[in-house]
Amino acid sequence: MSYFKTFRSSTTLVVSTFFIACLLCFGASSAAADSCSSAAKELQASYDVVQGKGGLWGFLEQRGELKEKSILGLQADSKIQRGVVIFNEMCKSSKTPDMSAFKSLQDVIGDARMVFNLNESTPAKKILEAVTQVNQKADKVLASLEQ
């Protein structure tokens, strides 16, 4: 009889430990998913600020001498949006992006936002260089996200 009680209590202990471990893993997984989702929302909100100003395309369209080069701004806008969408989809899948992916996207969006700090007296060449750099940086971020 005492053997049965010992077996039963050790089985209960093993089962209880298993369930606690499962709950801890699920909780950690849930917390990671929540933080990833929050990061994706933050990226989208930051990108929305750029788009609220017309995007890089709109910025170049407003500068008469750069209007014919505005396609470069449209490309950069599209690449950044694509990066944000990919990041968001990764959060929803089993391939959770790491912090470096978040920071890279955040940097590109920050660079795009900085373009709007260039004023009327900024030479067209300097504006075009800034948008070109954002476009190239977005290419690199996309390449790393799509691996």
Side-chain angles (χ1 to χ4, degrees):
M1 194 77 147
S2 72
Y3 173 75
F4 181 69
K5 284 183 181 179
T6 305
F7 178 74
R8 191 171 128 190
S9 64
S10 66
T11 303
T12 304
L13 180 64
V14 169
V15 170
S16 298
T17 304
F18 175 74
F19 282 122
I20 290 171
C22 287
L23 288 173
L24 289 175
C25 289
F26 177 73
S29 173
S30 178
D34 288 345
S35 65
C36 190
S37 178
S38 294
K41 287 178 185 174
E42 183 180 328
L43 290 171
Q44 185 63 52
S46 189
Y47 179 70
D48 287 346
V49 170
V50 173
Q51 289 305 298
K53 296 177 181 182
L56 295 176
W57 172 81
F59 184 79
L60 294 177
E61 278 286 313
Q62 292 172 358
R63 298 286 302 251
E65 67 272 20
L66 292 174
K67 199 170 190 170
E68 64 185 43
K69 302 283 188 180
S70 64
I71 191 72
L72 182 64
L74 183 62
Q75 289 171 344
D77 288 336
S78 297
K79 290 173 186 177
I80 295 169
Q81 179 61 43
R82 189 167 150 210
V84 171
V85 168
I86 290 170
F87 187 93
N88 190 28
E89 291 301 315
M90 288 172 75
C91 287
K92 294 176 183 177
S93 74
S94 61
K95 187 180 178 188
T96 305
D98 58 8
M99 186 58 105
S100 66
F102 171 77
K103 287 188 180 284
S104 296
L105 264 171
Q106 192 176 41
D107 287 346
V108 172
I109 295 169
D111 290 350
R113 291 176 72 167
M114 293 301 291
V115 170
F116 290 94
N117 291 339
L118 302 174
N119 57 32
E120 300 295 322
S121 64
T122 305
K125 183 178 179 180
K126 187 170 182 172
I127 293 170
L128 197 56
E129 286 174 4
V131 174
T132 299
Q133 287 176 354
V134 170
N135 197 26
Q136 291 170 345
K137 203 172 187 180
D139 279 335
K140 291 178 184 173
V141 170
L142 276 177
S144 70
L145 287 173
E146 292 176 333
Q147 289 181 351

